[in-house]
Amino acid sequence: MKTINYILGCCIAMTLLYACIDDEGNYDYSELKTVNITNVYSNWSVPLGEEYVITPTIDYGDTDPSEFVYTWVSEIQEEWSDTISRDKELRYTFKEIARYMTTFVVEHVPTGALTSKQIDLNTVSRYSTGWTILSEQNNKSVLSYIRAEQSGENGIIYNFFKDIYTTLRGDDLGTGPIRMGRHFSSSSDEILVIQESGAVEIDGQDFSKAIATHEEFVGGAYPANFVPKQAEYGARLEAILGTDGNVYTRVNPNGSFQICQYNTHPAFSNARIEKMYYCAYLGYIYMYNELNHRMIALYDEPQAYTGMVIYPSMHPDSTHVDNFTPVDDMGEGTQLVFIGSYNVEGATGRDFVQIIKKGTNYYFQTYKAYLHRGSSNLYIFDEKEELFVGNDYVNENSKYCIDGSSYLYFTADNVLYCWNRINQVEVFYTFSSKITDIERYANGSDREEIAVGLENGEFYIIDASYESISGQKEKVLFKTEGLGRVVDVQYKYGNSSNFNKESRL
C-alpha cells in the first residue's frame, strides 16, 4: 500500500507540474520556481545502523528559500516506500541491508513546482568483527557491540553500540540471558543467544533474529525435557548441549546456515555431558562426561568420520606419571573447571590445558593429544599435573582464559590474575565489581586484548601485551558502563576464515 501511495503521489505531483507548465492561463512558465540541486549522490556503501548525512547544495536563483519545502522518500528493494525525512538535510539511520532507491523532492509552495533528484543508497554492515557483550538489565537480554577501528598509524578507536539489537530491530531480544555461542559460514556469522525466554540465532550482519533454536530440531520442537545450555559449531558437526546432559547433533554439509536440523535422538546413550570445547582446526568437539568421569569426543571432520565417537585414553606406549588424573578415569566427583588448547608450531596434534577440581582443591593439567585420522582413539601423552597456583584464590565463579603456552589468566571476585606458568601469580588488574566473564583476543602483536565484564554493568578492554603485563603501558584500552549485569563476552570473528586464522593459539 505504501508503494501504491508513493507512486500515486509521484504521478499526481508530476501531473501538477506539467499542468503548471502547460496551463498558460494560470501561470507563465517563468513563474515556475524550480531549483538546481547538487551534492546529492548515490552511495553503494552506506553504513547500516549509523546515522547517514546528506547535505544538498541548492541554487534557488532569485527566489526566497523560505518558500520551499523538502521531502526525502525511499523505496526499499522495490517492496515498500516511505517518507524518511522532511528536512533539507537528510539525517537518517538505515536499519535494513537493502537497496534504498531514494528521491529528494524540493517543492516551491506558492506555485507547486517540483524539482527532484533520485539516487541509490545501498547499505552495508560494519558489524563483522568486534566484541559482543550479553548482559541483563531489568531481566531483559541486552546485546551490545564494540568495533575497533584504526586511528592513525598505530592507534585504535573503539566504537561502542549499546543494546544494538533493540536499536536496529526496535523490539526486545528476550529475557533471562545465559550465554552466547559462535556460528560461522564462509562469508558471515550468527550469534546464538541462550536465554530463559527462548534461545535464538542472531544474524551477525544486521542483528536480526535469524531463527528460534527450537525450530532447528526435526519437528520444530525440543526433545522432551531439553533446555539449551551450550552449543559448539564445528566445520561440519554442530552440537547443542542441554541442562540434562544430553547432546544433540547435526551435520552441516556445506557450511551454510539453517540448512539442516538437529536430530531428536541424543548423540550418546550412556553419558551426561557437563561441558563442551571446540576451537579452530581441532577436528573434533571435546566433552567431559561426568556420568562416567571421563573425556569423550565427536569427530568434526574429515567428512567420512563426522559424528563418530572418539575415546581419549592414556597412550599405551608412553610412560605416565602417577599423580596425573587419567582422562579416561578421572574419578567420581571430579569437576572439569576449564579446558583450553594451543598449537605448537611444527608439532602434531594439540597441547591441552585443563583445570580440574577434586574435593576442595584445584589442579592444573597439561598434556598432548594425538588423533590418527579415522581412529576412535585419542591418545594422551607428555602429561603433567600439579596443585594449581591459584588454588587459594579461585572459587566456583572464577573465569579463565589462556594465551597459548605463555600465560594463564583467571579471576577471583573483582581481581584479574596473570600467571606466566613459571613464576608466582601476579595481580593484573583490580576492578570495582565482581568479574562475571573474560575472554582473550589476539591478532598478531598489533592487538592483544582481554575483554572483562563485571556484575555492576561495566565492561573493559584490557591491553594484554607484554608491555602492559610488565607495567610499561596503560592497561585499560576501553571502558563503558550502564549495561546491567554482564553475562557473557565474546569476540566476534565475522566468518569461518577469520576464526580459523585468528583464534588458533
Side-chain angles (χ1 to χ4, degrees):
M1 180 62 71
K2 289 183 177 179
T3 302
I4 295 173
N5 291 338
Y6 170 65
I7 294 172
L8 288 175
C10 290
C11 291
I12 293 170
M14 294 307 296
T15 301
L16 290 173
L17 176 60
Y18 287 119
C20 291
I21 295 174
D22 295 336
D23 187 2
E24 296 182 0
N26 293 318
Y27 302 104
D28 188 349
Y29 179 78
S30 62
E31 295 177 350
L32 290 174
K33 303 300 184 182
T34 58
V35 297
N36 184 40
I37 303 171
T38 56
N39 204 38
V40 177
Y41 305 104
S42 296
N43 188 340
W44 296 91
S45 58
V46 175
L48 177 73
E50 300 175 45
E51 186 178 69
Y52 185 67
V53 179
I54 299 178
T55 305
T57 300
I58 300 177
D59 182 1
Y60 298 96
D62 58 358
T63 308
D64 184 354
S66 65
E67 296 180 353
F68 293 85
V69 294
Y70 312 94
T71 306
W72 295 85
V73 179
S74 272
E75 182 176 292
I76 303 176
Q77 303 289 67
E78 300 182 353
E79 293 181 359
W80 63 272
S81 63
D82 202 0
T83 297
I84 60 174
S85 177
R86 296 189 182 277
D87 295 323
K88 176 183 175 182
E89 182 180 68
L90 177 68
R91 291 183 172 271
Y92 190 73
T93 301
F94 296 93
K95 298 182 179 180
E96 306 286 343
I97 296 180
R99 177 187 179 188
Y100 289 77
M101 293 178 287
T102 303
T103 302
F104 177 49
V105 181
V106 180
E107 178 186 0
H108 182 239
V109 175
T111 64
L114 302 176
T115 309
S116 64
K117 182 85 170 181
Q118 184 170 328
I119 56 175
D120 279 344
L121 300 176
N122 289 262
T123 52
V124 296
S125 174
R126 298 183 64 195
Y127 307 129
S128 179
T129 61
W131 287 105
T132 50
I133 310 161
L134 181 64
S135 59
E136 181 179 26
Q137 195 162 38
N138 301 322
N139 195 41
K140 291 183 179 180
S141 300
V142 178
L143 186 62
S144 301
Y145 169 76
I146 295 173
R147 182 177 65 229
E149 295 181 355
Q150 197 70 31
S151 175
E153 188 172 339
N154 299 311
I156 291 179
I157 294 176
Y158 296 92
N159 290 313
F160 177 55
F161 301 85
K162 183 179 179 180
D163 197 3
I164 191 169
Y165 175 84
T166 300
T167 299
L168 291 177
R169 308 274 56 95
D171 61 356
D172 292 331
L173 175 58
T175 57
I178 298 170
R179 69 178 298 163
M180 291 184 286
R182 297 184 178 95
H183 194 181
F184 302 107
S185 72
S186 60
S187 59
S188 61
D189 69 335
E190 291 185 347
I191 305 163
L192 172 66
V193 176
I194 298 177
Q195 53 188 350
E196 294 174 0
S197 61
V200 293
E201 293 258 10
I202 303 298
D203 188 300
Q205 298 296 301
D206 63 3
F207 290 92
S208 61
K209 287 182 180 179
I211 192 170
T213 305
H214 69 82
E215 298 177 50
E216 300 193 82
F217 281 79
V218 173
Y222 290 138
N225 303 316
F226 179 79
V227 177
K229 176 182 177 180
Q230 180 186 355
E232 296 296 336
Y233 303 90
R236 289 183 52 80
L237 185 71
E238 301 178 352
I240 188 165
L241 169 64
T243 55
D244 59 359
N246 282 323
V247 172
Y248 297 88
T249 63
R250 62 185 177 188
V251 178
N252 193 326
N254 62 14
S256 300
F257 299 124
Q258 284 83 53
I259 62 169
C260 55
Q261 293 180 301
Y262 289 109
N263 200 321
T264 54
H265 299 286
F268 308 104
S269 59
N270 183 34
R272 186 173 63 246
I273 304 302
E274 193 277 329
K275 190 186 297 291
M276 300 192 299
Y277 171 77
Y278 176 76
C279 67
Y281 298 118
L282 185 60
Y284 48 88
I285 298 177
Y286 210 23
M287 309 176 190
Y288 178 57
N289 177 5
E290 64 178 357
L291 179 64
N292 299 307
H293 327 301
R294 63 163 301 149
M295 303 303 295
I296 197 168
L298 290 173
Y299 261 106
D300 174 33
E301 53 184 0
Q303 178 178 348
Y305 308 107
T306 301
M308 190 172 90
V309 180
I310 302 170
Y311 297 95
S313 61
M314 307 309 293
H315 199 298
D317 298 328
S318 295
T319 300
H320 301 293
V321 296
D322 293 335
N323 70 330
F324 185 81
T325 303
V327 298
D328 53 350
D329 185 13
M330 302 179 75
E332 186 173 356
T334 299
Q335 298 177 40
L336 178 63
V337 175
F338 169 76
I339 184 167
S341 71
Y342 55 90
N343 175 258
V344 177
E345 189 174 354
T348 301
R350 303 281 294 182
D351 280 31
F352 281 89
V353 169
Q354 288 186 176
I355 296 175
I356 61 174
K357 184 181 181 184
K358 296 187 295 182
T360 58
N361 289 325
Y362 294 81
Y363 296 87
F364 183 75
Q365 292 184 318
T366 60
Y367 58 87
K368 298 182 186 297
Y370 174 73
L371 177 66
H372 186 271
R373 176 173 290 193
S375 172
S376 61
N377 294 310
L378 177 69
Y379 287 125
I380 307 303
F381 60 100
D382 282 0
E383 73 280 4
K384 295 179 182 178
E385 182 175 317
E386 59 186 317
L387 187 68
F388 180 42
V389 296
N391 186 67
D392 294 334
Y393 306 101
V394 297
N395 54 55
E396 61 182 8
N397 297 314
S398 293
K399 304 297 179 180
Y400 308 82
C401 64
I402 61 172
D403 172 9
S405 61
S406 301
Y407 294 95
L408 176 81
Y409 301 91
F410 62 92
T411 72
D413 297 322
N414 66 325
V415 181
L416 176 64
Y417 292 92
C418 177
W419 177 42
N420 65 5
R421 297 180 51 186
I422 299 175
N423 302 322
Q424 65 183 13
V425 171
E426 295 183 0
V427 173
F428 190 42
Y429 198 84
T430 301
F431 297 89
S432 60
S433 177
K434 185 177 179 180
I435 300 169
T436 53
D437 198 26
I438 61 173
E439 180 165 296
R440 183 181 182 276
Y441 168 75
N443 185 3
S445 59
D446 296 333
R447 286 183 62 192
E448 297 177 90
E449 304 171 352
I450 295 178
V452 182
L454 305 185
E455 191 172 62
N456 68 354
E458 294 179 357
F459 172 84
Y460 291 77
I461 298 176
I462 301 296
D463 189 332
S465 66
Y466 173 77
E467 290 79 8
S468 175
I469 294 172
S470 59
Q472 301 174 51
K473 290 175 62 178
E474 290 291 329
K475 290 184 170 64
V476 177
L477 297 172
F478 175 83
K479 175 189 174 183
T480 190
E481 56 189 21
L483 299 177
R485 180 179 64 89
V486 176
V487 173
D488 195 6
V489 298
Q490 272 192 0
Y491 191 79
K492 187 178 185 297
Y493 290 92
N495 56 53
S496 58
S497 177
N498 288 342
F499 176 69
N500 291 336
K501 180 177 62 176
E502 298 178 10
S503 72
R504 191 182 188 191
L505 300 174

